[in-house]
Amino acid sequence: MLKKQTLNVVLANRIRVIRKIKGYSQEYMAIALDMSQRHYFRIENGQTDIKITFLQKVCEILEIKPIVLFQFEPDSIFADATYTAMKNDLRDLGKAG
């Protein structure tokens, strides 16, 4: 039986996939968010609750609208080779939810 994921974990997974598609490291994100890499890692892995202010900052850094994290349709957002390289990660996200 599949375990239901919390919204926190779903958002964290989507942030991670989009971050990878954009080519950003966790270190880069942590610096841009003015937090430790460990704290960012814990957020991105669903170990720490995600706050709205964090989502707003992440969306600015990733250059996406917040709605993208809730209506994640990768084909409509990323139509290049970078997206193609991430298809397996995206499939895994769909299976986990």
Side-chain angles (χ1 to χ4, degrees):
M1 180 167 139
L2 284 177
K3 181 170 68 167
K4 271 207 162 206
Q5 291 185 321
T6 65
L7 180 58
N8 191 63
V9 172
V10 170
L11 290 173
N13 286 336
R14 290 174 179 179
I15 289 167
R16 181 175 51 253
V17 170
I18 295 170
R19 173 184 61 77
K20 287 181 178 181
I21 289 169
K22 295 281 189 165
Y24 299 151
S25 67
Q26 286 184 342
E27 179 182 18
Y28 172 83
M29 294 295 290
I31 291 168
L33 291 161
D34 194 29
M35 65 175 52
S36 72
Q37 187 174 350
R38 178 174 165 77
H39 186 78
Y40 180 81
F41 171 85
R42 291 179 53 77
I43 292 171
E44 196 176 88
N45 284 285
Q47 300 169 358
T48 301
D49 286 341
I50 294 176
K51 297 183 179 183
I52 296 297
T53 53
F54 172 83
L55 283 179
Q56 289 172 322
K57 291 177 186 175
V58 165
C59 289
E60 289 172 14
I61 295 164
L62 296 176
E63 299 175 319
I64 60 172
K65 293 180 181 181
I67 194 70
V68 170
L69 296 174
F70 296 92
Q71 296 178 333
F72 192 58
E73 296 295 333
D75 289 325
S76 65
I77 301 166
F78 307 104
D80 59 17
T82 310
Y83 163 70
T84 303
M86 299 302 295
K87 257 187 178 166
N88 289 337
D89 282 350
L90 296 170
R91 275 193 221 115
D92 291 343
L93 280 177
K95 291 177 186 175

